[in-house]
Amino acid sequence: MNLKEIVTGKKGDKQFLLGNEAAVRGAIEAGVSVAATYPGTPSSEIGNVLSVLAKDAGIYFEFSTNEKVAMEVAATAAASGLRSFTFMKHVGLNVASDSFMTTAYSGVRGGMVILVADDPSVFSSQNEQDTRHFARLANLPLLEPSNCQELKDMMVYAFDLSEQFELPVIIRTTTRISHMRGIVELGNIKEIDKSSSDTHWKKGIFKKNPSQYVPVPAFALSMHERLWDKIEKINDVSNKSEYNINLNSKNKLGVISSSSAFNYAYDTVNKDGIDLSLLKIGFSYPFPKKQVYEFIKDLEGIFVVEEVDPIMEKEVLAVIGEYGLNIPVYGKIDKTFPMFHEFNQDIVKEGFNKILNYSKENYDENYSQSLKDLINEVPNRAPVLCAGCPHRSMFYAVRKAMDDLRLKNDDVIFASDIGCYTLGINPPYETADYLLSMGSSIGDGGGFSVATNQKVVSFIGDSTFFHSGIAPLVNAVHNKQNFIVTVLDNRITAMTGGQPNPGMPIDGMGDVAPEISIRKIALATGCDFVKVINPMNLEQTIDTYKQAFEHEGVSVIISKYPCTLIKGLVHKPPITIDENKCNLCNKCVNELACPAISLQNNKIVIDSTACDGCGLCMQVCKYGALKR
């Protein structure tokens, strides 16, 4: 499908959309004017699609420097009467939380939707936190779609709800909802009057009202009171919501579920012929306790199926306590279901069977076994740096510099960050000893330099440097700390799919933009050791690290070389091997660990389809056996 059909599709048309694409269509149908994000899987495709479609859809779109900035761009647009959309992965909401929390107090005029994509089982994240906690912390309404159609429809509904109560609305997806595909029937696109605007998107007007938008203590108390009044009114709405669906079979055992977990529960009940009543919670906060009470009041037991934390389970227990019911609840707390990780149909089935004790004749064992066999057939391969990745050269060079200076492994601490380069944790590089969050490597490096007498090397990507690496660099220089900062500038935001960042001469909508110099920023902090190198020049890179190890103070090395996966990048011819010169020292395999090079049948073999011709291996080989 041509992506532009997401914009041009008419009401009643059906499209086969990724969940994240359905979210974009929902935003377009709702009449969004401003959208902002920092890319993070599993939400990344929303930004990728919007970057292509924004102009056709009449939307201003940006890849912000971090999620907090994206939140602020969206919040101010909504305060100016425009409909705005910001989206991020679950840990991105941590970054945005300072401003996010206050948007609940100040509220909005135009609709504002915050989509947060959780990642149960941490497929691409450092933790599997549950965004539903944030809804309760901020007191903002929360919707949870379980399929692509619902995601698109909930987007439109969320904007209407947001404007009705003048509050931002959260939509929580998971990896499976964001990345599933399904048939989506399109609706009408809201007409937007842009006749008075000098841009392709509508402009708003901010009406000053300090008592609403400036939360100094004198105003914040009344803001909190207004927020609770809104939440109580929204609770009436959630108790009647069409997104809370009762599939009552009249059985005395019931299931309450939401989001992707509902799909597993529904499939288990229907595939295996288990007669259970189902209540799907789509409008999950404020929790629809009256609707839940009506569902459970005559039941003899309740399964609560949810990912990741037992949040609904506790809400159900509270309903039971409030209404004086005596009904057992089977969920995570009593260990009917696992307390963590992503669910699947087998996990849900096993949980049901702990209570129901049904025999194997009651369900299709062959289906379950075939699913397990399929999973077992998938090869298990650890993630590796791509062939031609410039990060490999940096890791190799820092190790060689340590050898030349006779620094042992325990003499140097490697503070890593969030990006492809976190793979430096793997042998043979082993250049990741500590990691907290986006941008933390520089703050961590400063902390280690203060707390220990060990040498410290921090690794941070170019996009991550702009995201949250500048402030800790300023802190490090000001406080006279002593460590090496390596900025891995591969000319792209690589890990999340190749989005631009401020270090590139292009913005999120493809227009020419000022390129912000990482070198000038480092110099502006007062750092007196700032060097830009080509990491594929191995001799230069090793020598630069040796200088940096012996320098007192903060050293900044900017490794500038494009990611090998950048679209349109012209690669050099692949490397070949002269078997007459190769003595099988295996340095190219064991020390470099390039996935294009392997030892097969006692011979070094280069996969020409994987090799991008970077030539790093030629510099490692001392015998001239590798050549173009």
Side-chain angles (χ1 to χ4, degrees):
M1 185 190 79
N2 187 325
L3 278 182
K4 295 206 171 183
E5 292 178 17
I6 295 176
V7 177
T8 59
K10 305 297 183 183
K11 181 180 180 180
D13 289 352
K14 293 183 179 179
Q15 296 180 354
F16 190 55
L17 299 180
L18 193 72
N20 283 337
E21 293 171 344
V24 172
R25 173 65 191 200
I28 293 170
E29 288 185 10
V32 164
S33 295
V34 172
T37 189
Y38 181 84
T41 305
S43 70
S44 296
E45 292 87 358
I46 301 175
N48 295 346
V49 174
L50 273 173
S51 68
V52 175
L53 302 182
K55 291 181 180 178
D56 292 330
I59 297 172
Y60 168 82
F61 171 71
E62 72 174 40
F63 285 113
S64 306
T65 50
N66 64 33
E67 295 87 354
K68 183 174 181 288
V69 173
M71 184 71 67
E72 291 155 358
V73 169
T76 51
S80 302
L82 301 177
R83 289 193 163 187
S84 68
F85 179 35
T86 186
F87 45 95
M88 58 205 69
K89 68 185 297 173
H90 59 303
V91 289
L93 190 54
N94 298 339
V95 180
S97 61
D98 202 3
S99 295
F100 161 78
M101 293 294 294
T102 306
T103 62
Y105 275 33
S106 58
V108 296
R109 283 176 51 227
M112 178 179 174
V113 170
I114 304 163
L115 186 148
V116 185
D118 285 3
D119 190 19
S121 285
V122 289
F123 291 102
S124 57
S125 310
Q126 63 266 44
N127 65 45
E128 54 177 356
Q129 70 191 46
D130 195 320
T131 292
R132 295 177 297 171
H133 290 294
F134 265 112
R136 287 152 176 81
L137 185 65
N139 276 311
L140 287 177
L142 176 75
L143 303 172
E144 295 187 71
S146 62
N147 57 59
C148 298
Q149 183 72 55
E150 276 190 347
L151 178 49
K152 192 277 292 182
D153 293 342
M154 281 186 180
M155 283 289 296
V156 179
Y157 172 73
F159 279 102
D160 292 338
L161 183 71
S162 174
E163 289 184 353
Q164 180 184 350
F165 291 97
E166 298 185 341
L167 280 178
V169 174
I170 306 169
I171 292 181
R172 180 213 185 208
T173 67
T174 65
T175 301
R176 296 303 170 191
I177 303 303
S178 291
H179 289 166
M180 74 189 312
R181 280 197 178 270
I183 296 173
V184 177
E185 183 173 336
L186 308 184
N188 280 322
I189 294 177
K190 181 181 176 70
E191 292 293 328
I192 304 175
D193 182 10
K194 299 191 290 287
S195 59
S196 60
S197 178
D198 58 352
T199 56
H200 70 264
W201 66 91
K202 178 184 177 181
K203 293 291 186 76
I205 297 174
F206 177 66
K207 297 177 181 178
K208 295 185 179 184
N209 183 0
S211 66
Q212 179 179 358
Y213 295 116
V214 186
V216 293
F219 297 148
L221 285 174
S222 58
M223 287 178 170
H224 198 187
E225 292 172 7
R226 288 198 303 270
L227 174 59
W228 267 109
D229 181 60
K230 291 178 182 179
I231 286 296
E232 288 179 356
K233 292 176 181 176
I234 295 172
N235 205 174
D236 292 335
V237 177
S238 68
N239 275 300
K240 301 172 184 175
S241 175
E242 63 182 16
Y243 292 114
N244 299 331
I245 302 172
N246 187 339
L247 302 172
N248 198 329
S249 71
K250 305 301 181 183
N251 191 288
K252 289 299 181 180
L253 287 174
V255 180
I256 298 176
S257 190
S258 68
S259 190
S260 50
F262 169 79
N263 296 330
Y264 308 132
Y266 181 87
D267 287 348
T268 301
V269 167
N270 284 273
K271 179 70 179 177
D272 299 333
I274 305 168
D275 186 21
L276 294 172
S277 297
L278 283 164
L279 176 63
K280 177 167 75 169
I281 304 291
F283 197 145
S284 67
Y285 188 79
F287 192 68
K289 61 182 182 180
K290 293 179 181 177
Q291 202 168 12
V292 168
Y293 168 71
E294 290 299 323
F295 176 73
I296 70 174
K297 63 181 181 180
D298 297 320
L299 296 179
E300 296 176 357
I302 308 154
F303 292 97
V304 180
V305 183
E306 59 185 324
E307 302 167 328
V308 173
D309 294 335
I311 295 174
M312 282 201 309
E313 184 176 354
K314 291 177 181 178
E315 297 272 20
V316 171
L317 288 167
V319 171
I320 289 171
E322 182 176 344
Y323 287 93
L325 303 175
N326 184 20
I327 307 171
V329 175
Y330 311 114
K332 291 173 174 282
I333 295 173
D334 72 336
K335 296 183 171 52
T336 298
F337 300 107
M339 184 60 82
F340 34 72
H341 300 335
E342 184 182 51
F343 283 6
N344 58 43
Q345 201 167 318
D346 285 340
I347 289 172
V348 174
K349 182 189 299 182
E350 183 178 342
F352 287 165
N353 196 36
K354 287 178 182 178
I355 308 303
L356 300 176
N357 295 314
Y358 52 81
S359 66
K360 291 185 178 181
E361 286 76 23
N362 294 120
Y363 63 87
D364 187 353
E365 177 68 18
N366 291 330
Y367 172 82
S368 177
Q369 190 59 45
S370 65
L371 182 63
K372 290 179 180 177
D373 290 343
L374 179 62
I375 293 171
N376 291 334
E377 287 174 7
V378 177
N380 186 14
R381 182 181 74 95
V384 295
L385 296 172
C386 302
C389 176
H391 303 339
R392 176 177 290 103
S393 177
M394 294 299 295
F395 296 146
Y396 184 86
V398 73
R399 283 294 183 183
K400 287 302 175 186
M402 287 171 59
D403 290 343
D404 290 351
L405 296 174
R406 298 185 178 179
L407 291 171
K408 298 178 181 177
N409 187 56
D410 289 341
D411 294 333
V412 180
I413 301 171
F414 296 106
S416 194
D417 223 298
I418 306 294
C420 302
Y421 43 89
T422 315
L423 294 174
I425 192 174
N426 294 327
Y429 324 115
E430 296 178 331
T431 50
D433 297 317
Y434 193 81
L435 184 153
L436 288 176
S437 63
M438 289 284 288
S440 67
S441 62
I442 300 180
D444 296 340
F448 281 127
S449 76
V450 170
T452 76
N453 289 321
Q454 294 159 281
K455 301 284 187 180
V456 184
V457 181
S458 295
F459 291 104
I460 188 169
D462 47 344
S463 182
T464 311
F465 178 78
F466 290 112
H467 178 281
S468 46
I470 298 172
L473 179 60
V474 171
N475 183 75
V477 175
H478 176 73
N479 288 294
K480 303 179 290 294
Q481 293 166 355
N482 181 19
F483 64 105
I484 301 170
V485 175
T486 307
V487 183
L488 298 159
D489 182 3
N490 60 1
R491 316 303 298 139
I492 203 167
T493 309
M495 185 178 67
T496 51
Q499 298 84 359
N501 65 61
M504 299 172 62
I506 190 171
D507 66 18
M509 293 184 288
D511 295 328
V512 174
E515 181 176 343
I516 310 302
S517 168
I518 297 173
R519 175 180 173 275
K520 289 181 180 179
I521 290 174
L523 290 170
T525 67
C527 184
D528 60 2
F529 186 108
V530 180
K531 297 203 173 185
V532 181
I533 63 168
N534 175 0
M536 292 306 179
N537 183 332
L538 195 55
E539 183 179 351
Q540 178 199 33
T541 305
I542 295 171
D543 183 60
T544 303
Y545 268 113
K546 288 164 68 174
Q547 294 176 45
F549 273 122
E550 296 175 338
H551 176 261
E552 286 293 323
V554 179
S555 306
V556 177
I557 299 173
I558 302 167
S559 167
K560 197 168 184 176
Y561 194 88
C563 169
T564 187
L565 298 182
I566 291 178
K567 186 177 180 180
L569 190 68
V570 177
H571 297 293
K572 297 175 182 177
I575 307 301
T576 59
I577 185 162
D578 185 342
E579 294 182 7
N580 294 322
K581 293 183 178 180
C582 178
N583 73 346
L584 291 177
C585 70
N586 290 339
K587 286 174 68 71
C588 58
V589 175
N590 297 333
E591 294 184 14
L592 201 56
C594 174
I597 307 175
S598 60
L599 180 65
Q600 298 179 24
N601 299 321
N602 209 34
K603 289 183 179 181
I604 299 296
V605 176
I606 297 178
D607 182 354
S608 61
T609 62
C611 176
D612 82 336
C614 73
L616 180 61
C617 58
M618 294 169 59
Q619 299 173 70
V620 171
C621 180
K622 295 182 178 180
Y623 303 99
L626 297 167
K627 60 183 180 180
R628 280 189 219 288

